[in-house]
Amino acid sequence: DAKTTQPNSMESNEEEPVHLPCNHSTISGTDYIHWYRQLPSQGPEYVIHGLTSNVNNRMASLAIAEDRKSSTLILHRATLRDAAVYYCILRDENDMRFGAGTRLTVKP
Amino acid sequence: DAGITQSPRHKVTETGTPVTLRCHQTENHRYMYWYRQDPGHGLRLIHYSYGVKDTDKGEVSDGYSVSRSKTEDFLLTLESATSSQTSVYFCAISESGGLVTEAFFGQGTRLTVV
């Protein structure tokens, strides 16, 4: 059973911000929220993760709702290289399971 | 880039033959995972390992077995390949239990069963 729910696809214009939502209403207190992305013909790559507080790194920001039942990955200025499938994952001690993800299209 | 290598990168095999895919890492990470990716399904976990000789099943483990006799190698075996096992297989490694650490993925193995 999928632990997370994401839209199938989203579109963005180049150099505009992108907000990718994820619902995880059954999240447990120890689950960390991880985001990965998969560029065409490549393996997934790590983007960001968090537990309760919002997080920032060089790639993106992660905004986590106060009740932790949803989160949003924020790409501050989308580029053509950001076109990929983005996966929101709840990681527990041993397991790492992916849902179908959101396919992001970036238009020039 | 994390030191993770999958071999072979491409393979065509006949139905009913055994196939072994290899994942090799140079990072000394404890956790290793095998996934398959099919159109419309995203990545699905087949098996994972949390140490030498310690493995467990994922969500689509039927028809697959794994072995990890040393830290650096995680083998995925299809005892008798079927056409439904045609897929792209990805290996991943993670330093610890994964709550706070990122996972690194290989480039994938494209397996075709004819």
Side-chain angles (χ1 to χ4, degrees), chain B residues 39-110:
Chain B
H41 286 280
L43 283 93
R44 292 183 290 174
L45 182 65
I46 305 172
H47 283 279
Y48 66 95
S49 169
Y50 46 96
V52 174
K53 297 186 179 179
D54 290 324
T55 65
D56 206 347
K57 296 179 179 180
E59 55 191 317
V60 290
S61 59
D62 288 349
Y64 302 94
S65 62
V66 290
S67 66
R68 192 165 177 204
S69 59
K70 46 187 178 178
T71 300
E72 57 265 37
D73 288 326
F74 192 32
L75 304 180
L76 177 70
T77 298
L78 292 65
E79 300 291 347
S80 177
T82 68
S83 58
S84 65
Q85 294 175 312
T86 292
S87 187
V88 179
Y89 291 84
F90 287 100
C91 175
I93 62 174
S94 182
E95 186 172 4
S96 69
L99 292 181
V100 297
T101 58
E102 62 189 281
F104 300 93
F105 284 79
Q107 290 299 300
T109 294
R110 183 173 295 276

Side-chain angles (χ1 to χ4, degrees), chain A residues 51-108:
Chain A
L51 181 61
T52 57
S53 304
N54 295 344
V55 183
N56 300 293
N57 66 20
R58 62 175 179 81
M59 290 183 69
S61 296
L62 177 60
I64 301 172
E66 195 169 338
D67 63 6
R68 302 210 326 126
K69 293 185 177 183
S70 65
S71 61
T72 302
L73 179 70
I74 302 166
L75 307 178
H76 295 287
R77 290 185 63 202
T79 69
L80 297 179
R81 288 195 67 255
D82 291 323
V85 178
Y86 287 78
Y87 298 97
C88 169
I89 303 161
L90 301 183
R91 287 200 72 174
D92 60 20
E93 185 62 33
N94 289 321
D95 209 339
M96 188 170 68
R97 301 195 181 196
F98 288 69
T102 297
R103 181 174 299 278
L104 176 65
T105 301
V106 181
K107 297 183 289 185

